[in-house]
Amino acid sequence: MALTEAQNIPSLTRLLDEKFCVSITDTKGTITYVNKCFCELTKFSPEELIGNTYQLISPSFSPQEVYEEIYHTDTQPFVRQQVIKGITKNNEPYWVRATIVPVVNEHQITTHYISIDLDITLEHLTSERFGATLKVVHNLESALDYSSVIAATNAAGVITYVNSKFCELSQYTEYELIGKSHKIINSGHHPKSFFADMWKTIQSGQVWRGEVKNRAKDGSFYWMNTTIVPFVDECGKPYEYISIRSDITARIEAEQALESALQNDFRTTVKNLQNAIFKYEADATGQIFITLLEGQICEKLGLTSSLLNAKGETNPFSEETLRNLRPYAYAALDGEACEFELEYLSHSFIVYLSPVLQNGTVIEVVGTCVEITERKKAEKLVEHMAYYDALTGLPNRRLFESKVNEGLTLGINEFSILYLDLDRFKNINDSLGHFIGDEVLKAVAERLTSCIGPNDIAGRLAGDEFVIMLHEADSNRVNEISLSIIEEVSNSYTFKSNEVYITPSIGISRFPADGEDYDTLIRNADTALFIAKESGKSTHRFFTQELNNDLIEKTLLEMDLRQAISRDELELHYQPQYDMKSGIIMGVEALARWNHSTKGVISPSQFIPIAEESGLILPIGFWVLETACKQAKTWQEQGLLSIRMSVNVSILQFKQPTFVNDVLSVLRKTGLDPNCLNIEITESMTTDVHYSQKTLQRLHNEGIHVSIDDFGTGYSSLSYLSKFPITHLKIDQIFLQDLTSSNTAIIKTIIELAKNLSIDVIAEGVETEEQALFLSTLRCDEVQGFLYSRPLPREETEQLLQLLTI
């Protein structure tokens, strides 16, 4: 559809200003209007944009082509949508999803075009990054498939994946292999103890290597040099095994051919073999000399027997390499079969030495050399994937635990474990997206590495949790390092023009004082981290047994609190709220009390924080609301003085999407008039202005009173206070406890502000005549506190109301 000029275009753009980038052009593509969002996105001012065309910000975008397509596609102009890439004034790219709407006059002639754009830059970048990651993964998979025989099995040994090389060698199809075990290719050559040893190794989380003879589908045999890498879960239990194999059938067959040709000249036979074949002897002085060296590997590397027999600098192997080779060479001359790996000119080889005996005496040694370069690369890749975090490159949980246990085995006298967690990291993922969140994690990993010494180890456990093994246990030194880590990690990060701030919390345990094994040290560091989080975040704490005992006690208290409602251990006390002029009770505040069946009365200062942290505040808060409303209705039915019932709600309750509906449901169930209910919220709950305004307006429309508790201690903007339908402000008792000049000024300001906004004021925590007199002179509306009455059980509250009713 098109817009007509009769429609109020400025009104439309104002309506869209808060969510979209809006621009208007004439039929020639000249920009005639841009809104604030459009300027903020492009970094151009309105003066720089108006009078220009879109070529200024999007050189590849042709408005005339789009306009002509809009007009000629149909007999009537229509709306066009497309994704457009633009360049900001700072030469930074951005992407928008544009909806282009033609504007026609009363003669159905198009006069302008409106473009309504939605910024999708983060979405586009995330999509690009995901595509690049998929390409890397595909390339890795292709490299492995090209170089090696790959198979994956689950913990029970059932095959879950095979590559094409596996199918080619075994002559089975993927469909025939998936869901089966490796028994399908068992040749029967190896004893049961061979596979028992293999399973024992990989089930313990260790890598297994060996040579296995297999049977193909047609009954033929083939040999595989096999490496099996177990992948373990957080508990150290293997859940998957990846096997990397290379075909060594040719080498085995060559060795078998050698055995039958040892007494003959087999130089012609072995010359064309892919692998290297060699023989050597020792002279009377014990010096080793090569008597045969053939094979295509030798030709490729330019190796000859004369070169290998040369002494000094003319020998292609370094002196260090020769020193490493001599023990194997002489062991074979003593009659021991040997195998070892050799690195030469960026190539990897496996060498097998077989002594040749005659009348019980070694007369020479026959060796084979097989290139395993691609297999070694594949093994290193899989091993890196198994031991290092894919995002940050830091050691993962498995490798970190291995390094700590290695230190314990080597007898390190003392060290510290630092357990680090990023404060409110979820907010970054939720607000800026996982792309920025991942960039933050990588940047944090780099900063952690820069803060520790060369012998220390930093690892990533999971999510935003990092851990450090610090070769230091002196409390003063560990304290200094922890503070430097907090300072470094807390510095700002910039990603795609987004400035991001994150702070860490750190828990510390020390060996051997806080534990003598990995699990104990990690658990105690985690306990210290929990305490650091409770202490206000962006700090660090050392583990102590006292902290651990407190945490255990808190955990047990939480377990009991979960049963408090069902055990009927919770009850409400009610503190009266008096009108300062008349002295009449205007209402009561319902306060939860916990009378534990064995521990007695538990202070609200103990169990309310636990309820909020654990989420138990939701069922407890609903119980308080329903019980208080039911009690207020009961008192009314008894003919007692009709009063306002005030109920505190937590921020978790207030943020529930069903909060208002839950309140209305309780009122319907109990029959209490909405005008008799007052919901008390804290000032900090109003920081989300849009949500708070919508929620509070719904409560107001139903006739429910709303008051802001602890006013003056939060951080909400006063500019929004007039927009909220608030009936009362409650002055926090902290200002009354010490009537200094600063506190009295704050109280006066709050009361004056409330009067100007026609909002009543309740002062809580009034305990002395001096406080009451001071509030009276300021014309405070209502008061509550021990000077007038402590919170009363239900029976005593009823007696008070009965006296006032008479």
Side-chain angles (χ1 to χ4, degrees):
M1 63 175 286
L3 296 175
T4 66
E5 287 188 331
Q7 293 172 288
N8 192 336
I9 295 174
S11 298
L12 176 61
T13 57
R14 283 196 299 273
L15 179 63
L16 301 174
D17 269 352
E18 289 188 1
K19 291 292 184 182
F20 298 90
C21 301
V22 180
S23 60
I24 301 176
T25 66
D26 59 22
T27 55
K28 295 180 180 180
T30 302
I31 300 173
T32 62
Y33 169 83
V34 290
N35 72 343
K36 181 180 178 182
C37 287
F38 192 96
C39 294
E40 290 176 348
L41 177 63
T42 64
K43 304 295 191 298
F44 285 96
S45 67
E47 293 76 11
E48 293 172 314
L49 292 167
I50 293 174
N52 269 304
T53 68
Y54 286 126
Q55 300 294 318
L56 177 65
I57 53 178
S58 183
S60 63
F61 176 67
S62 174
Q64 285 300 322
E65 292 180 6
V66 175
Y67 297 165
E68 289 177 10
E69 182 179 353
I70 289 176
Y71 190 80
H72 294 295
T73 302
D74 204 345
T75 57
Q76 294 294 327
F78 73 109
V79 174
R80 169 70 181 268
Q81 287 189 332
Q82 68 180 101
V83 174
I84 299 173
K85 178 183 178 181
I87 304 296
T88 69
K89 185 177 180 180
N90 299 338
N91 205 32
E92 296 175 346
Y94 68 91
W95 286 264
V96 297
R97 184 175 288 109
T99 301
I100 303 173
V101 184
V103 181
V104 300
N105 61 17
E106 64 272 21
H107 302 299
Q108 298 301 306
I109 297 175
T110 301
T111 62
H112 295 83
Y113 292 89
I114 300 177
S115 182
I116 304 171
D117 306 335
L118 179 64
D119 184 7
I120 59 169
T121 303
L122 278 179
E123 174 185 334
H124 184 84
L125 291 175
T126 301
S127 176
E128 280 189 343
R129 181 172 178 271
F130 179 69
T133 301
L134 285 179
K135 184 177 179 181
V136 171
V137 172
H138 177 73
N139 290 341
L140 289 174
E141 182 181 5
S142 298
L144 286 172
D145 281 344
Y146 176 81
S147 62
S148 304
V149 175
I150 307 295
T153 67
N154 61 19
V158 176
I159 299 172
T160 59
Y161 169 82
V162 292
N163 69 345
S164 58
K165 278 188 173 291
F166 192 109
C167 297
E168 179 183 342
L169 277 173
S170 68
Q171 300 176 20
Y172 287 95
T173 65
E174 181 181 0
Y175 176 79
E176 292 173 310
L177 292 168
I178 300 297
K180 304 292 194 307
S181 72
H182 279 81
K183 290 181 180 179
I184 193 173
I185 56 173
N186 191 337
S187 65
H189 173 78
H190 304 282
K192 291 182 178 180
S193 59
F194 176 87
F195 294 106
D197 178 71
M198 179 197 74
W199 275 105
K200 182 179 179 181
T201 301
I202 61 177
Q203 285 178 339
S204 68
Q206 303 301 311
V207 176
W208 182 88
R209 294 180 176 88
E211 296 179 356
V212 183
K213 183 177 182 180
N214 295 323
R215 185 197 301 271
K217 187 175 182 180
D218 66 355
S220 61
F221 296 98
Y222 60 98
W223 283 84
M224 305 296 291
N225 189 290
T226 302
T227 299
I228 303 176
V229 179
F231 282 71
V232 299
D233 58 22
E234 294 183 358
C235 299
K237 185 177 181 181
Y239 62 88
E240 188 177 45
Y241 302 102
I242 303 295
S243 60
I244 308 168
R245 301 178 170 92
S246 58
D247 186 7
I248 57 171
T249 306
R251 192 261 293 172
I252 297 296
E253 290 176 350
E255 290 178 348
Q256 293 171 347
L258 281 173
E259 290 179 1
S260 62
L262 283 176
Q263 303 303 321
N264 305 309
D265 183 8
F266 53 87
R267 188 179 301 274
T268 303
T269 304
V270 300
K271 189 171 185 177
N272 295 318
L273 291 178
Q274 183 68 33
N275 304 318
I277 305 297
F278 61 92
K279 296 194 295 181
Y280 69 88
E281 302 174 4
D283 60 18
T285 65
Q287 293 293 317
I288 293 174
F289 60 95
I290 306 295
T291 59
L292 171 70
L293 181 63
E294 296 291 349
Q296 294 183 22
I297 289 178
C298 300
E299 293 182 11
K300 181 170 67 173
L301 297 178
L303 294 176
T304 63
S305 57
S306 59
L307 276 175
L308 295 182
N309 288 328
K311 307 298 181 183
E313 295 181 358
T314 56
N315 192 295
F317 291 150
S318 67
E319 182 58 36
E320 181 182 0
T321 301
L322 292 173
R323 269 199 312 271
N324 294 332
L325 295 179
R326 286 189 187 105
Y328 298 106
Y330 285 109
L333 285 170
D334 288 337
E336 180 182 345
C338 302
E339 68 174 77
F340 57 91
E341 292 185 5
L342 173 66
E343 300 289 330
Y344 180 68
L345 297 180
S346 301
H347 293 265
S348 299
F349 304 93
I350 186 167
V351 180
Y352 301 88
L353 302 179
S354 300
V356 178
L357 300 175
Q358 191 175 63
N359 300 323
T361 302
V362 177
I363 59 173
E364 64 180 352
V365 175
V366 176
T368 59
C369 181
V370 181
E371 183 167 7
I372 56 171
T373 305
E374 294 302 323
R375 192 196 83 187
K376 294 292 288 185
K377 289 180 180 179
E379 285 180 9
K380 288 179 180 178
L381 174 61
V382 173
E383 192 164 345
H384 189 275
M385 293 167 61
Y387 288 102
Y388 289 87
D389 177 52
L391 178 66
T392 64
L394 293 179
N396 60 14
R397 180 189 298 271
R398 179 183 183 186
L399 180 56
F400 184 81
E401 179 179 355
S402 175
K403 291 294 185 181
V404 173
N405 286 330
E406 181 180 313
L408 293 171
T409 303
L410 293 175
I412 296 178
N413 292 330
E414 54 183 18
F415 61 86
S416 298
I417 297 293
L418 277 59
Y419 202 131
L420 184 147
D421 177 89
L422 301 180
D423 304 325
R424 292 179 289 275
F425 177 73
K426 184 177 182 296
N427 292 349
I428 294 179
N429 278 337
D430 292 344
S431 59
L432 300 179
H434 288 273
F435 173 80
I436 296 297
D438 286 351
E439 293 300 312
V440 170
L441 292 175
K442 289 192 286 186
V444 168
E446 292 178 1
R447 294 188 183 183
L448 287 180
T449 304
S450 70
C451 290
I452 60 178
N455 296 324
D456 303 324
I457 303 168
R460 182 187 178 209
L461 295 187
D464 62 333
E465 295 180 349
F466 296 85
V467 67
I468 295 172
M469 180 185 181
L470 201 65
H471 285 70
E472 180 68 65
D474 177 73
S475 58
N476 293 329
R477 182 63 183 138
V478 175
N479 183 65
E480 291 176 4
I481 296 173
S482 299
L483 289 173
S484 67
I485 290 173
I486 292 174
E487 180 180 2
E488 180 65 24
V489 174
S490 299
N491 290 331
S492 66
Y493 305 79
T494 302
F495 307 105
K496 300 293 183 182
S497 300
N498 291 305
E499 192 167 20
V500 179
Y501 290 89
I502 195 77
T503 59
S505 295
I506 302 175
I508 305 165
S509 64
R510 291 173 290 174
F511 170 82
D514 300 329
E516 297 184 356
D517 60 82
Y518 173 82
D519 291 335
T520 303
L521 289 167
I522 286 291
R523 183 175 65 251
N524 290 341
D526 191 23
T527 298
L529 172 63
F530 181 84
I531 301 302
K533 288 278 192 182
E534 277 198 331
S535 301
K537 304 180 176 61
S538 188
T539 186
H540 67 286
R541 289 291 183 270
F542 286 88
F543 172 82
T544 65
Q545 193 56 49
E546 290 76 15
L547 289 178
N548 191 47
N549 294 339
D550 290 343
L551 185 60
I552 293 173
E553 182 180 353
K554 188 175 180 180
T555 302
L556 295 174
L557 204 60
E558 179 186 331
M559 295 170 62
D560 287 343
L561 186 57
R562 293 183 180 277
Q563 307 296 323
I565 296 178
S566 60
R567 292 174 180 171
D568 198 25
E569 293 179 350
L570 293 181
E571 61 181 78
L572 292 184
H573 285 196
Y574 305 89
Q575 186 168 36
Q577 298 167 330
Y578 291 87
D579 181 90
M580 286 210 77
K581 290 182 179 179
S582 64
I584 297 174
I585 293 181
M586 303 300 295
V588 293
E589 180 180 0
L591 300 169
R593 296 292 184 263
W594 182 13
N595 190 3
H596 195 284
S597 57
T598 58
K599 299 177 182 178
V601 176
I602 307 295
S603 170
S605 62
Q606 280 187 272
F607 74 84
I608 293 298
I610 294 175
E612 290 177 340
E613 292 171 12
S614 63
L616 292 173
I617 197 68
L618 290 177
I620 291 175
F622 187 84
W623 176 88
V624 170
L625 176 66
E626 184 174 19
T627 303
C629 290
K630 183 178 179 181
Q631 185 61 66
K633 182 63 176 177
T634 300
W635 286 336
Q636 290 176 3
E637 291 173 346
Q638 292 173 354
L640 300 179
L641 181 68
S642 181
I643 57 174
R644 179 184 66 238
M645 178 64 72
S646 293
V647 177
N648 293 281
V649 298
S650 71
I651 189 170
L652 191 59
Q653 286 177 274
F654 188 67
K655 292 294 185 181
Q656 293 299 306
T658 61
F659 172 66
V660 176
N661 290 336
D662 290 342
V663 173
L664 296 178
S665 174
V666 167
L667 290 174
R668 285 193 297 270
K669 180 179 179 180
T670 60
L672 183 66
D673 191 307
N675 284 309
C676 295
L677 176 61
N678 178 56
I679 297 294
E680 292 194 9
I681 64 173
T682 61
E683 188 179 355
S684 59
M685 294 185 195
T686 63
T687 52
D688 186 345
V689 176
H690 178 71
Y691 175 83
S692 299
Q693 191 170 16
K694 182 177 66 173
T695 302
L696 296 178
Q697 191 61 51
R698 286 188 62 193
L699 294 172
H700 178 75
N701 293 342
E702 296 292 339
I704 300 170
H705 298 282
V706 176
S707 61
I708 296 185
D709 195 9
D710 302 335
F711 188 77
T713 62
Y715 46 89
S716 64
S717 173
L718 294 177
S719 63
Y720 292 111
L721 192 58
S722 61
K723 298 182 181 181
F724 296 145
I726 302 298
T727 57
H728 294 79
L729 290 182
K730 294 189 72 176
I731 301 175
D732 190 81
Q733 60 184 338
I734 191 173
F735 299 116
L736 287 170
Q737 289 173 355
D738 185 10
L739 290 177
T740 60
S741 58
S742 59
N743 281 347
T744 56
I746 292 173
I747 295 172
K748 289 178 182 178
T749 302
I750 293 174
I751 294 177
E752 186 174 336
L753 173 66
K755 294 297 182 183
N756 291 334
L757 296 175
S758 300
I759 299 175
D760 290 338
V761 178
I762 301 176
E764 60 181 346
V766 181
E767 298 179 352
T768 67
E769 293 289 351
E770 179 190 5
Q771 295 169 349
L773 180 61
F774 172 72
L775 292 169
S776 178
T777 59
L778 296 178
R779 296 185 298 119
C780 180
D781 298 293
E782 298 178 34
V783 288
Q784 71 180 91
F786 277 29
L787 178 64
Y788 300 94
S789 174
R790 60 181 175 83
L792 303 173
R794 176 181 57 81
E795 297 83 359
E796 294 183 30
T797 306
E798 284 184 6
Q799 293 172 8
L800 178 61
L801 293 177
Q802 287 170 354
L803 291 174
L804 295 173
T805 303
I806 297 173

